[in-house]
Amino acid sequence: MELQWPLILFTVLVAWSAGLFGAQSLAALRGDGGRAQMASLVASVVLLAAGGIAVFFHLQHWERIFNGFGHLTSGITQELIAIVVVVALMVVYFVFLRKGSGVPKWLAALSLAMSVVLVAVMAHSYTMAARPAWDSVLWILAVLGEACVLGPVSFLVILAAVRPGDRPAMRAADVAAPAGPPALAGALVNAVTAAAFAAFLQLSAGSFATVGYYFDPTHPTKAMADAAATVAGQAPLLWAGAVAVGALVP
């Protein structure tokens, strides 16, 4: 099974964008990170736009994507609705930041909630009975965990990079200190969810059913699909990349 890198990039970038938007919304709820809010919002928008561009490289005929938007049960339609709502919230968020009046608590809470919804809806669109290894709530939790680490850590970096302004004597570490606990909590959540889903994937080879023989007519002695071999072949990438680097390093 080939790795669909455009789709992988779309998933990572959208989760990253939603995680960052959610992290800054959480900071706004707590009354922290005021000077990093605009920079974080811009970064979140850029990540979301980059994810949208990446997904088009996955489609052979990108114009046909619009055929699925007429069905509310379609995962693509649900993703689009969630993205449109989040973008609308980003616009309202931007207006309040430009006014300098601060982000209202109701807007911060709604933005945080919709960030979670966006990631969950996006991950849910991959779950299907035809793909037993994907058809698990652990996958949705794994993507949420990814957003939980990428967003807060990115917000922490942005907060540390922004100059204190009216408090020049404060060190960057002191300014960024309030964002530390959410980043640490996000890293722990990501580690648990990534390891759980990795274990589920590793055990998923036995969930595939073999029905008769399925061979490529041009290669009659070679099976079209070997679930066990696919799982085993991608195990190093899964455990070294997703778990060791993606979960334990943060």
Side-chain angles (χ1 to χ4, degrees), residues 10-74:
F10 166 76
T11 305
V12 172
L13 291 173
V14 172
W16 193 352
S17 172
L20 179 54
F21 190 45
Q24 70 175 112
S25 300
L26 177 61
L29 273 174
R30 301 170 58 191
D32 298 326
R35 296 188 63 83
Q37 287 287 341
M38 184 61 78
S40 298
L41 182 61
V42 171
S44 184
V45 171
V46 170
L47 288 168
L48 187 60
I53 294 172
V55 76
F56 280 96
F57 289 94
H58 172 69
L59 304 171
Q60 189 72 23
H61 296 279
W62 63 266
E63 70 280 1
R64 295 180 183 176
I65 193 175
F66 299 102
N67 296 333
F69 289 154
H71 306 280
L72 291 178
T73 57
S74 168

Side-chain angles (χ1 to χ4, degrees), residues 133-147:
W134 302 352
D135 196 21
S136 170
V137 69
L138 291 176
W139 158 247
I140 299 176
L141 294 177
V143 181
L144 283 170
E146 176 186 330

Side-chain angles (χ1 to χ4, degrees), residues 65-84 121 125:
I65 193 175
F66 299 102
N67 296 333
F69 289 154
H71 306 280
L72 291 178
T73 57
S74 168
I76 294 177
T77 302
Q78 294 170 359
E79 284 178 344
L80 177 65
I81 293 173
I83 289 174
V84 168
V121 168
S125 67

Side-chain angles (χ1 to χ4, degrees), residues 108-193:
L110 189 57
S111 299
L112 176 59
M114 275 308 304
S115 297
V116 175
V117 170
L118 172 57
V119 177
V121 168
M122 177 187 65
H124 181 265
S125 67
Y126 290 96
T127 59
M128 56 190 76
R131 292 288 184 267
W134 302 352
D135 196 21
S136 170
V137 69
L138 291 176
W139 158 247
I140 299 176
L141 294 177
V143 181
L144 283 170
E146 176 186 330
C148 284
V149 66
L150 288 175
V153 170
S154 298
F155 184 70
L156 180 64
V157 171
I158 293 173
L159 192 59
V162 173
R163 290 180 298 177
D166 56 341
R167 294 175 295 173
M170 294 186 66
R171 296 182 299 113
D174 295 329
V175 176
L184 178 59
L188 292 174
V189 170
N190 178 59
V192 172
T193 56

